[in-house]
């Protein structure tokens, strides 16, 4: 694989670093913090939502591992933090293999530094908008066997994919490569939550860092075409098979998590 460019502009806010800021991480710059605070003025729930999204990822990976999934493709992985996919999967299914995919050079540098020397993980440069390139990447194919079930993780990334990027075709391409018994894990910011803040929040994101394509529940459900949603279906983050601690921030208001999520199985 060619070495990707590591040039980046610390003065331009970045989606991965904003998410790291919401989670209380340290891998961000003043421009990221300024943009994040503007967004938090519109939707202060985002800090709790980011934590809930990370917790959903952990629960979903544990669920998949318990179903016998031992290989994972995590696209749009973001900056490493506690509870990375290989750590969670390895607790349930030792020997699980994980490929992390991201297009952000800072993410790639951090992830590779964390995972140096591990034979069960790989970190590759890739853009969800070009899924064929991800699926043909020799580092991906060197670790994952697509003739066997795989877990594909699209966690808090599709709301950065606009309709003009054809999200249905992106998922169809991934689905075609997945063996029966594979799973799709998806979480997606929705326009059904805090509709009064959607326009302003979307504009802040667009002007600061990246277009934000929030979708309604039915449109998000359509993205699971070809997959059978496992119980409890498409729900708010704290409603998907929660541990007790996962609901503390959202007692009586699961919609304040701002994000819908689900897990679908390819039969």
């Amino acid at each position: 694989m060619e070495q990707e460019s590591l040039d980046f502009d610390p003065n331009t806010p970045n989606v991965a670093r904003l998410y790291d800021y919401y989670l209380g991480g340290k891998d961000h710059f003043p421009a990221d913090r300024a943009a994040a605070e503007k967004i938090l003025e519109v939707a202060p729930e985002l800090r709790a939502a980011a934590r809930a999204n990370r917790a959903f990822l952990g629960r979903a990976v544990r669920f998949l591992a318990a179903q016998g999934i031992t290989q994972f493709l995590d696209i749009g992985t973001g900056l490493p933090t506690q509870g990375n996919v290989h750590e969670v999967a390895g607790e349930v299914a030792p020997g699980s293999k994980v490929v992390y995919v991201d297009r952000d050079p800072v993410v790639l540098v951090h992830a590779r530094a964390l995972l140096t020397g591990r034979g069960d993980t790989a970190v590759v440069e890739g853009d969800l908008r070009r899924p064929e390139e991800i699926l043909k990447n020799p580092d991906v194919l060197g670790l994952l066997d697509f003739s066997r079930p795989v877990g594909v993780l699209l966690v808090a990334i599709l709301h950065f994919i606009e309709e003009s990027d054809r999200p249905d075709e992106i998922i169809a391409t991934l689905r075609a490569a997945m063996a029966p018994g594979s799973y799709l894990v998806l979480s997606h910011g929705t326009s059904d939550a805090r509709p009064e803040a959607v326009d302003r929040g979307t504009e802040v994101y667009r002007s600061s860092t990246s277009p934000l394509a929030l979708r309604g529940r039915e449109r998000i459900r359509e993205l699971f075409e070809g997959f059978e949603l496992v119980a409890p279906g498409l729900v708010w983050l704290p409603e998907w098979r929660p541990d007790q601690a996962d609901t503390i921030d959202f007692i009586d208001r699961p919609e304040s998590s701002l994000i819908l999520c689900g897990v679908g199985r390819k039969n």
Side-chain angles (χ1 to χ4, degrees):
M1 183 180 72
E2 293 183 1
Q3 179 67 33
E4 66 276 355
S5 169
L6 296 183
D7 294 333
F8 70 96
D9 181 6
N11 297 312
T12 299
N14 167 277
V15 167
R17 298 194 300 266
L18 263 65
Y19 188 58
D20 180 71
Y21 181 79
Y22 301 147
L23 287 171
K26 62 185 188 315
D27 296 311
H28 39 72
F29 299 100
D32 304 305
R33 295 191 285 275
E37 287 298 334
K38 283 184 181 179
I39 295 162
L40 288 168
E41 288 178 8
V42 179
E45 308 98 321
L46 259 178
R47 286 192 189 275
R51 294 193 298 269
N53 187 68
R54 193 71 188 177
F56 161 70
L57 171 63
R59 298 195 305 275
V61 169
R62 284 194 294 273
F63 170 79
L64 264 59
Q67 307 309 304
I69 301 297
T70 59
Q71 43 181 11
F72 299 83
L73 180 62
D74 183 5
I75 304 177
T77 181
L79 285 159
T81 185
Q82 292 182 338
N84 294 297
V85 173
H86 68 279
E87 296 168 330
V88 176
E91 292 173 358
V92 181
S96 293
K97 297 178 179 179
V98 181
V99 175
Y100 295 104
V101 182
D102 210 291
R103 66 175 187 164
D104 184 274
V106 176
V107 169
L108 295 168
V109 168
H110 279 261
R112 287 176 177 150
L114 176 70
L115 300 172
T116 296
R118 295 187 61 98
D120 56 357
T121 62
V123 180
V124 304
E125 181 189 20
D127 190 329
L128 180 58
R129 295 171 181 83
R130 298 190 295 277
E132 300 91 346
E133 294 179 13
I134 296 172
L135 295 169
K136 294 177 181 177
N137 186 297
D139 291 339
V140 174
L141 295 175
L143 200 62
L144 303 183
D145 176 5
F146 284 96
S147 69
R148 296 173 45 243
V150 61
V152 173
L153 314 178
L154 302 179
V155 176
I157 183 174
L158 277 166
H159 47 237
F160 297 110
I161 301 295
E162 296 186 275
E163 288 296 315
S164 60
D165 292 316
R166 301 178 178 178
D168 302 271
E169 293 182 17
I170 290 170
I171 294 178
T173 298
L174 295 170
R175 184 177 66 243
M178 298 162 67
S182 295
Y183 288 85
L184 173 68
V185 176
L186 187 155
S187 66
H188 196 304
T190 176
S191 52
D192 292 350
R194 293 283 310 280
E196 72 280 3
V198 164
D199 289 344
R200 186 177 168 202
T202 300
E203 179 54 36
V204 171
Y205 255 97
R206 185 178 298 276
S207 62
S208 300
T209 173
S210 176
L212 191 62
L214 300 179
R215 296 178 171 92
R217 179 183 292 266
E218 291 308 312
R219 179 69 185 102
I220 295 171
R221 191 184 302 276
E222 290 174 358
L223 298 175
F224 280 99
E225 182 180 356
F227 297 92
E228 180 182 353
L229 279 165
V230 302
L234 182 63
V235 294
W236 298 107
L237 289 171
E239 295 178 324
W240 200 91
R241 300 174 181 246
D243 299 321
Q244 185 173 2
D246 297 321
T247 63
I248 291 173
D249 289 328
F250 307 101
I251 295 174
D252 299 327
R253 291 190 63 223
E255 71 279 3
S256 64
S257 66
L258 308 176
I259 294 174
L260 289 166
C261 65
V263 174
R265 186 179 191 271
K266 179 178 177 181
N267 294 323

